[in-house]
Amino acid sequence: MGLVHLQTFRVRYAETDQMGALSSPRALEWFEFGRTEWLRAADLPYSRMETEGLFLPVVEANCRYLRRVRFDDPIILRTRLSQAGRASLRFDYEAVLDGVPDHPQVLLGWTLHAFVDANGQLMRPPAETRCQLRPLVSPDPAS
Amino acid sequence: MGLVHLQTFRVRYAETDQMGALSSPRALEWFEFGRTEWLRAADLPYSRMETEGLFLPVVEANCRYLRRVRFDDPIILRTRLSQAGRASLRFDYEAVLDGVPDHPQVLLGWTLHAFVDANGQLMRPPAETRCQLRPLVSPDPAS
Amino acid sequence: MGLVHLQTFRVRYAETDQMGALSSPRALEWFEFGRTEWLRAADLPYSRMETEGLFLPVVEANCRYLRRVRFDDPIILRTRLSQAGRASLRFDYEAVLDGVPDHPQVLLGWTLHAFVDANGQLMRPPAETRCQLRPLVSPDPAS
Amino acid sequence: MGLVHLQTFRVRYAETDQMGALSSPRALEWFEFGRTEWLRAADLPYSRMETEGLFLPVVEANCRYLRRVRFDDPIILRTRLSQAGRASLRFDYEAVLDGVPDHPQVLLGWTLHAFVDANGQLMRPPAETRCQLRPLVSPDPAS
C-alpha cells in the first residue's frame, strides 16, 4: 500500500568532496530529487503545483550517513510519503547501493514540509490534492 | 563557558532556489563552514587534522528552517561543540538574521561526527586533541 | 565518425536560483556529468582512470547560455571529444531542450583538460589510452 | 580609474571535490559573489535591481584554472566591470592566493550579462543606471 518511488542514478563527481565520498549537503539535493519524482509518479508534478500557487518548502530535514558513498557508485533512492497532515507532508528516503549483493543502506532521511502560498503564508492544499495524496501514504518502510 | 564561534556572511545568489529563498541543502554547507571556523578558533584547524590523518565525516545531520532567508540577507551563524565523546563530536548551530531588531532565528541544526582515519575506520583522536576539546564543550545554547 | 554521447535528465530544483532558471555554475556540473558518461561509453571510466593515477582537471571552461532552462525541463546533453592532444583533451557540449519541436539549444560549451598525476604534475597518458581516444575524436558538431 | 572590488574569503570544504582542490563549477559561484559585492560597492545592490525589475542573467562565462586551489586557502578575488554596453555588461575576475609571497594567480575569468526584465525580455537599463556604471568601467587589468 502507498506509493514508493524508486529512482536510480550515479554519484556525480561534483557531489564528492576531498574526503573522497559524497559531500553531506548533497544528500538533501538527492532527497529533493526523490520527492520531485515521487510527486510526478503521484500525478502531482511539483512544477504544476508551483504554477498553481502551492509551494512545499522544507521545514525540517534529517539525514543519517550510514556508509561511504563514492563517485560513480550506482544508487537506488526509495522515496515514500510517510505522513500527510492538513497542511504538511513528511517524506522518508532510503538510499541503497546498487550493483552489490544485499543493497546495503547508505543514507536514511526524512524531510518535513508545509504547504504555503507564494507569499510564504501557511495554507491548506485544495481538497482534491489531499484526496489524491491520502491513499498514497506509506507510513512504514516495509509497507 | 565553552567556545561559541560567531561567523557573519551574506546569503549568496547561488544559494537560493526558485522559491526565492535559501535552498535547503545549502544550510548544511553553512554548518560545515561554521564548524571549520569553530575548529580554527579552537586552534585545531581542520586542514591540519586531515593532514595528520584524522577525519570528521558527518554521521547525522539535522536542520530546522524557521524563517525564510533571502538573497543578500546578512546572517550570523553561531557554532558550538555540544558534545565530545571518545570518538565522536556533536556541533550545534543557530543562524539568526543580522541587521534587524532581536535577530530572529532562521535556522537551528546539529551534526554528529565520528573520528575516522584515512581509510574510514573509526579511531580515537590523540589524547591531546581530546584534552584541547573538553573545556570547549558548550552543552547548552545559553552557556 | 567519433563518439557523441547523449545523456538525458531533468533540471533539478536545487539547480535553479531565484531568477527561476538554471543557476549558471550548475551548467559546468552538467558538463562534468556529460564527460563522465562519455568516458564510460568510450570504455575509459573516469573512476578507473583515477584509481590508476591519471587525473583530468579542468584547465579552462566556457559556457554560453542561449535560452532559459527551467526546473523540470527535460534536457538532452550531447558530449563529444573535440581534440585529443599529447597531454590534453577538449570536450564540447551542447544541451538542447527535449519534448518540444526542433530541440532548441540551451547551452553550448567546452572544457579543456590536462592529464596530471596524483601530485598535479603534467604527464602523458599511457600509449593505449591515447590509441583508444584517437578514433573517438569528433572535431565538428555535425560529424 | 574604474572600480575594482577586492573580496577575501577562504575555500570552503563543500567547494572541493575528490581531486582535493576547488571543484571547477564553484569558480562561477565565486564570480557571482564577486559581482554581487562589486555592485554593492557601486551603490547598485543587485537585490534592489531585481526588486525594481532589472535582472542580469549570465549570457556567457569563461574561467581559466591556473593553479590548484585547496580547502581553506585564503583567496583574494578582484572583480571589475570591463565593459558596459547599452544593454549588456562584462565583468572580469582574477583570484589570487593570499598569505604567500607574490600572490600567485589561481583563476582568471569573465562573464557577459544582458539586462532583462522579469519575463526574460532584453531591456535597456534606466539612464541613471547607465550613468552610474559608465565611470566605473575598468577595461584593463592594470588600470
Side-chain angles (χ1 to χ4, degrees):
Chain A
M1 263 177 23
L3 168 63
V4 179
H5 181 75
L6 267 68
Q7 185 68 33
T8 60
F9 54 88
R10 284 178 182 271
V11 181
R12 295 182 185 179
Y13 202 84
E15 293 172 340
T16 64
D17 64 25
Q18 73 174 38
M19 225 179 284
L22 180 71
S23 174
S24 60
R26 296 286 186 150
L28 299 196
E29 293 196 11
W30 290 4
F31 294 171
E32 194 173 68
F33 179 34
R35 68 182 176 268
T36 298
E37 297 306 323
W38 188 96
L39 287 165
R40 188 192 321 283
D43 198 24
L44 282 163
Y46 186 64
S47 53
R48 197 177 68 203
M49 284 178 55
E50 282 206 353
T51 307
E52 293 170 356
L54 199 58
F55 298 78
L56 267 178
V58 180
V59 170
E60 185 169 358
N62 189 274
C63 184
R64 288 162 58 201
Y65 303 83
L66 304 171
R67 192 186 156 112
R68 286 203 173 188
V69 193
R70 296 176 184 284
F71 164 58
D72 221 33
D73 278 349
I75 301 293
I76 304 170
L77 178 63
R78 293 192 185 107
T79 304
R80 61 192 169 87
L81 180 65
S82 47
Q83 290 173 21
R86 285 189 201 173
S88 69
L89 297 178
R90 176 180 149 147
F91 287 96
D92 275 62
Y93 313 89
E94 179 197 29
V96 302
L97 198 55
D98 200 0
V100 293
D102 301 325
H103 288 180
Q105 285 184 328
V106 293
L107 300 175
L108 273 179
W110 51 265
T111 54
L112 197 63
H113 301 262
F115 285 102
V116 304
D117 63 20
N119 300 315
Q121 295 303 305
L122 284 175
M123 67 177 285
R124 286 201 196 171
E128 60 181 291
T129 302
R130 280 178 285 153
C131 286
Q132 232 175 313
L133 288 169
R134 207 172 304 131
L136 303 178
V137 174
S138 174
D140 181 339
S143 70
Chain B
M1 265 177 16
L3 168 65
V4 179
H5 181 76
L6 267 68
Q7 184 68 34
T8 61
F9 54 88
R10 284 177 182 272
V11 181
R12 297 183 184 179
Y13 202 85
E15 293 172 339
T16 64
D17 64 25
Q18 74 172 38
M19 226 181 282
L22 179 71
S23 174
S24 60
R26 296 285 187 152
L28 299 197
E29 293 195 11
W30 290 4
F31 294 171
E32 194 172 70
F33 179 34
R35 68 180 176 269
T36 299
E37 297 306 325
W38 188 96
L39 287 165
R40 190 192 320 284
D43 198 24
L44 282 163
Y46 186 62
S47 53
R48 198 178 65 202
M49 283 178 55
E50 282 206 353
T51 307
E52 293 171 355
L54 200 58
F55 298 79
L56 266 178
V58 180
V59 170
E60 185 169 358
N62 189 273
C63 185
R64 287 162 57 202
Y65 303 83
L66 303 170
R67 192 186 156 111
R68 284 202 175 192
V69 193
R70 294 178 185 283
F71 165 57
D72 221 32
D73 278 348
I75 301 293
I76 305 171
L77 177 64
R78 292 191 187 109
T79 304
R80 62 191 168 88
L81 180 66
S82 47
Q83 291 173 21
R86 285 190 202 171
S88 68
L89 297 178
R90 177 179 149 148
F91 287 95
D92 275 61
Y93 313 89
E94 180 197 28
V96 303
L97 200 54
D98 201 359
V100 295
D102 301 325
H103 288 180
Q105 285 184 327
V106 293
L107 300 175
L108 273 179
W110 50 265
T111 53
L112 196 64
H113 301 261
F115 284 103
V116 304
D117 63 20
N119 300 315
Q121 295 304 305
L122 285 174
M123 66 177 287
R124 287 201 195 170
E128 60 181 292
T129 301
R130 279 178 285 152
C131 285
Q132 233 175 311
L133 288 168
R134 208 172 302 131
L136 304 178
V137 173
S138 175
D140 181 338
S143 69
Chain C
M1 265 178 19
L3 167 64
V4 180
H5 181 76
L6 268 69
Q7 184 68 33
T8 61
F9 53 88
R10 284 177 182 272
V11 181
R12 297 182 184 179
Y13 201 85
E15 292 172 340
T16 65
D17 64 25
Q18 74 173 39
M19 226 181 283
L22 179 71
S23 174
S24 60
R26 294 287 185 151
L28 299 196
E29 293 195 12
W30 290 4
F31 294 172
E32 194 172 69
F33 178 35
R35 68 181 175 268
T36 298
E37 297 306 323
W38 189 96
L39 287 165
R40 190 192 320 283
D43 198 23
L44 282 162
Y46 186 62
S47 53
R48 198 177 66 203
M49 283 178 56
E50 283 206 351
T51 307
E52 293 171 355
L54 199 57
F55 297 80
L56 266 178
V58 180
V59 169
E60 185 169 359
N62 189 273
C63 185
R64 288 162 58 201
Y65 303 83
L66 304 171
R67 191 186 157 112
R68 284 204 176 189
V69 194
R70 294 176 186 285
F71 165 59
D72 220 33
D73 277 348
I75 302 293
I76 305 171
L77 177 64
R78 292 192 186 106
T79 304
R80 63 193 168 87
L81 180 66
S82 47
Q83 290 173 21
R86 284 190 203 171
S88 68
L89 297 178
R90 178 180 148 146
F91 287 95
D92 275 62
Y93 314 89
E94 179 197 28
V96 303
L97 199 54
D98 200 1
V100 295
D102 301 326
H103 288 181
Q105 285 183 329
V106 293
L107 299 174
L108 273 179
W110 50 266
T111 53
L112 197 62
H113 302 262
F115 285 102
V116 304
D117 64 19
N119 300 314
Q121 295 304 303
L122 285 175
M123 66 177 287
R124 287 202 195 168
E128 58 181 293
T129 302
R130 280 178 284 154
C131 286
Q132 232 175 314
L133 288 169
R134 208 172 303 131
L136 304 179
V137 174
S138 173
D140 181 339
S143 70
Chain D
M1 263 176 20
L3 168 64
V4 179
H5 180 76
L6 267 68
Q7 184 68 33
T8 60
F9 54 88
R10 284 178 182 271
V11 181
R12 296 182 185 178
Y13 202 85
E15 292 172 340
T16 64
D17 64 23
Q18 73 173 41
M19 226 180 282
L22 179 71
S23 174
S24 61
R26 296 285 186 151
L28 300 196
E29 293 194 11
W30 290 4
F31 294 172
E32 195 173 68
F33 179 34
R35 67 180 177 269
T36 298
E37 297 306 323
W38 188 96
L39 287 165
R40 189 192 320 283
D43 198 24
L44 282 162
Y46 186 64
S47 53
R48 197 178 67 203
M49 284 178 55
E50 283 206 351
T51 307
E52 293 170 356
L54 200 58
F55 297 79
L56 266 179
V58 180
V59 170
E60 186 169 358
N62 189 273
C63 185
R64 286 161 59 202
Y65 304 82
L66 303 170
R67 192 184 155 113
R68 285 203 174 189
V69 193
R70 295 177 185 284
F71 165 58
D72 221 32
D73 278 348
I75 301 293
I76 304 171
L77 178 63
R78 293 192 186 107
T79 304
R80 62 192 168 87
L81 180 65
S82 48
Q83 291 173 20
R86 286 190 201 171
S88 68
L89 296 179
R90 178 180 148 146
F91 287 96
D92 275 61
Y93 314 89
E94 180 197 29
V96 303
L97 199 55
D98 201 359
V100 295
D102 301 326
H103 287 182
Q105 286 183 328
V106 294
L107 299 175
L108 273 180
W110 51 266
T111 54
L112 197 63
H113 301 262
F115 284 103
V116 304
D117 63 19
N119 300 314
Q121 295 303 305
L122 284 174
M123 67 176 287
R124 287 200 196 171
E128 59 181 292
T129 302
R130 279 178 285 154
C131 286
Q132 231 175 313
L133 287 169
R134 208 172 302 130
L136 304 178
V137 174
S138 175
D140 182 337
S143 70

